[in-house]
Amino acid sequence: MFHHELQRTARARNLADSLLTRTGEDQNDLLHLLLIENGGSLVTPGDTHRPGTHMVEIHLLDITGRGDTETAALSEWIKAARRASPIRATGSIDQGTAA
C-alpha cells in the first residue's frame, strides 16, 4: 500500500511541476488534459451537480485545491501536490510513469 501512495504523490508532484512551467491558456489546456487522463474533476460555482458551493475545486490524484477562481484553485492544488511529495520522481508525464 505504501508503494502505491508514494507513486501517486510522486506523480502529483511531477504534474504540479509541469503545470508550474506553463502559463495562461497553455497551463489551462494542460490542466484539463490531466483531469481527463487521470479521472480528476473541476467543479465551478455554476455546476448544477454540486449545489451550494461558491468556490472552484480541483480534485486530481486524491489531492484537492480550492479557490475563488480556477487560477486560485490550481495554485492551491499545486501547493498541496508539492507538499504531498517532497521529492520529484524521475519519469515522463507522457509515459505516465511516476518512479
Side-chain angles (χ1 to χ4, degrees):
M1 184 68 163
F2 176 76
H3 177 69
H4 295 294
E5 181 70 10
L6 183 59
Q7 283 184 322
R8 182 191 61 77
T9 60
R11 174 115 173 100
R13 172 68 186 251
N14 283 344
L15 297 180
D17 289 346
S18 293
L19 284 162
L20 278 174
T21 66
R22 311 282 171 73
T23 59
E25 192 172 321
D26 189 38
Q27 186 183 56
N28 190 50
D29 289 347
L30 179 59
L31 170 63
H32 288 258
L33 177 68
L34 295 173
L35 289 170
I36 292 167
E37 288 180 348
N38 294 283
S41 64
L42 171 65
V43 179
T44 61
D47 287 347
T48 57
H49 64 279
R50 295 271 311 260
T53 183
H54 300 286
M55 300 187 80
V56 177
E57 293 182 11
I58 295 172
H59 189 76
L60 179 61
L61 296 174
D62 291 333
I63 297 173
T64 301
R66 293 179 182 90
D68 293 335
T69 64
E70 188 173 328
T71 301
L74 178 57
S75 178
E76 291 301 312
W77 186 88
I78 289 171
K79 288 180 205 173
R82 294 185 68 153
R83 281 191 307 266
S85 179
I87 58 169
R88 181 173 166 83
T90 59
S92 169
I93 288 176
D94 295 333
Q95 295 171 346
T97 59

